[in-house]
Amino acid sequence: MSLDEHPLKLHFHGGVAIYPDDGENFKELLENASIALKEAKKEGINIIKLFNKEIEKNIRSKIIAEHLIRKALDENLFIFHYQPYFDAKTKELKGFESLVRIKDKDKIHYPNEFIDLLENSNYLDDFRKWALYEVTQKIKRWNKPISLNLSARTFKNPQLPKEINRYTQDLPQTLTLEVTERLYMDDPQVSKKIVQELKQHEKIKLSIDDFGTGYSSLSYLKDMYADILKIDISFVQSMVEDKKAKAVVEAIVTLARAMEMETVAEGVETKLQYKMLKDMGVDFIQGYYFAKPMPEEEVEKLLGLK
Ligand code: C2E
Ligand code: CA
Ligand code: CA
């Protein structure tokens, strides 16, 4: 097509809803066609999308999650459960990992229901402040190291080091920040800078979460200044039967030791897994075999504070 000799390039998007499966009346059909159109736009140009139940389910769960997050912030429903980790050799309690939940009356909502949406929402700032405050208060009260999982946007926020400094004055024990390898590798230059700044603080440690599942770019590992490598649950759970998985765990332990990093194995559920990991020289162990994530009252009992 052309207009006064100027060629015009037309792009289109389409959303289709079909009577009667996708709607019983015009209004419903139009709504669902609009939803399909939105999905088509997300996928690129010249795409026509048919409405389907999967799209509807996704959108519905997003709406529910958003409602849940807003409610949690308004009514202070975010809580942490704390999962202990132990010295592999002595079985001594060494610290806790904080794992977020939303507690709405008697119902507990787990991160898989809301963490992705939270991460991409405007509520992230409020959540980050709450999380930092909460965890640093607990480090002081319990006098134990605690780890905090950081999302990509939180980690990349240039305000983070300053904000962390504000919360970590007079910290008696370590605050460990857990970031995934993937997150770090998205932009190694920026990540390196942030980590260098964070590491100025003697009570902050950095742990690479789910290690082995990302790109595992070994050439960058030496620049990460990580203190801890966390061996992913998938290796821990398959290594008993899968020789290759076991070899990966052994390699991670050897590598960590050579680079003066510590190792934590997550998701340890059986005595055999524990024994293998201990024999391989893993430093710390975490998993249901020893302890599940627990509410703070239970931690207080465990520590003899209640
Ligand atoms: P993750 O950091 O890898 O945490 C480990 C997950 O495995 C937790 O699930 C924990 O409850 C579970 N787990 C611990 N031991 C065992 C075990 O022996 N067997 C099995 N099968 N599972 C075990 P959870 O609490 O549902 O958390 C899921 C993910 O959500 C976390 O994975 C983390 O990526 C994210 N997450 C949790 N809390 C936070 C948070 O405060 N901030 C951010 N950004 N992400 C969080
Ligand atoms: Ca973690
Ligand atoms: Ca993990």
Side-chain angles (χ1 to χ4, degrees):
M1 195 183 190
S2 69
L3 200 68
D4 291 341
E5 305 302 307
H6 298 290
L8 275 184
K9 231 181 180 180
L10 291 183
H11 296 305
F12 64 89
H13 296 101
V16 179
I18 299 170
Y19 176 85
D21 281 0
D22 302 336
E24 287 182 351
N25 52 46
F26 178 73
K27 189 169 168 272
E28 268 179 36
L29 283 169
L30 185 66
E31 264 171 25
N32 288 342
S34 308
I35 289 173
L37 179 63
K38 257 191 207 149
E39 291 298 303
K41 284 181 181 165
K42 271 191 222 154
E43 286 190 16
I45 52 172
N46 302 343
I47 302 263
I48 295 179
K49 218 55 203 169
L50 288 174
F51 179 81
N52 65 47
K53 293 279 176 248
E54 200 54 33
I55 298 182
E56 191 184 13
K57 219 175 100 197
N58 281 343
I59 290 187
R60 202 139 287 170
S61 60
K62 263 190 201 154
I63 293 170
I64 292 172
E66 183 167 359
H67 178 75
L68 187 65
I69 293 166
R70 198 163 344 121
K71 186 167 182 214
L73 281 171
D74 285 349
E75 300 176 23
N76 292 327
L77 304 181
F78 279 114
I79 56 163
F80 278 124
H81 279 181
Y82 297 87
Q83 187 178 28
Y85 58 88
F86 302 86
D87 184 299
K89 282 203 197 89
T90 64
K91 296 191 186 174
E92 194 188 333
L93 175 83
K94 282 296 181 183
F96 298 89
E97 175 179 6
S98 59
L99 294 157
V100 70
R101 276 96 181 85
I102 293 175
K103 186 167 190 263
D104 189 7
K105 298 191 187 87
D106 287 338
K107 186 158 172 42
I108 300 270
H109 298 272
Y110 289 83
N112 63 340
E113 288 178 54
F114 60 83
I115 202 80
D116 286 347
L117 201 99
L118 179 62
E119 148 93 326
N120 294 306
S121 74
N122 297 331
Y123 308 116
L124 191 63
D125 276 352
D126 289 341
F127 175 74
R128 185 184 62 242
K129 286 184 187 131
W130 170 80
L132 277 171
Y133 174 78
E134 189 69 20
V135 164
T136 48
Q137 285 300 102
K138 289 296 184 296
I139 295 176
K140 289 175 192 168
R141 179 166 162 77
W142 296 342
N143 196 21
K144 291 279 176 206
I146 302 182
S147 312
L148 176 66
N149 292 284
L150 291 190
S151 67
R153 263 179 67 205
T154 299
F155 178 64
K156 299 263 162 78
N157 186 330
Q159 299 300 322
L160 182 72
K162 225 188 260 159
E163 213 168 275
I164 284 192
N165 274 332
R166 202 175 319 136
Y167 288 98
T168 51
Q169 305 296 330
D170 317 318
L171 216 55
Q173 298 280 349
T174 310
L175 167 67
T176 299
L177 304 173
E178 297 197 3
V179 301
T180 62
E181 176 188 12
R182 211 162 313 191
L183 182 166
Y184 189 100
M185 295 305 303
D186 272 351
D187 197 341
Q189 292 311 324
V190 172
S191 303
K192 194 174 162 181
K193 251 198 171 144
I194 297 171
V195 170
Q196 276 169 340
E197 223 174 306
L198 288 171
K199 298 285 301 205
Q200 308 268 317
H201 199 299
E202 54 163 345
K203 285 290 197 290
I204 305 275
K205 280 191 182 178
L206 187 77
S207 171
I208 308 287
D209 211 352
D210 302 343
F211 189 74
T213 61
Y215 314 112
S216 297
S217 177
L218 298 181
S219 60
Y220 273 110
L221 191 59
K222 65 178 173 37
D223 295 332
M224 282 186 186
Y225 298 100
D227 303 282
I228 298 155
L229 292 185
K230 229 171 155 174
I231 303 166
D232 190 63
I233 187 169
S234 59
F235 299 114
V236 171
Q237 305 212 324
S238 56
M239 70 180 183
V240 173
E241 269 146 28
D242 181 351
K243 273 194 192 145
K244 288 183 182 166
K246 182 169 176 247
V248 172
V249 178
E250 281 167 338
I252 294 175
V253 175
T254 308
L255 184 70
R257 195 169 292 150
M259 294 198 170
E260 297 178 338
M261 294 184 234
E262 292 176 313
T263 44
V264 180
E266 65 175 18
V268 182
E269 290 183 357
T270 67
K271 192 172 180 179
L272 180 57
Q273 288 166 352
Y274 163 58
K275 199 182 163 317
M276 282 173 73
L277 292 160
K278 187 178 70 161
D279 291 347
M280 284 184 222
V282 170
D283 299 299
F284 304 104
I285 304 283
Q286 190 182 26
Y288 296 168
Y289 180 63
F290 287 92
K292 289 195 168 174
M294 51 182 94
E296 57 180 71
E297 304 80 55
E298 241 174 84
V299 175
E300 305 228 319
K301 268 187 219 151
L302 185 76
L303 297 176
L305 295 170
K306 259 197 177 162

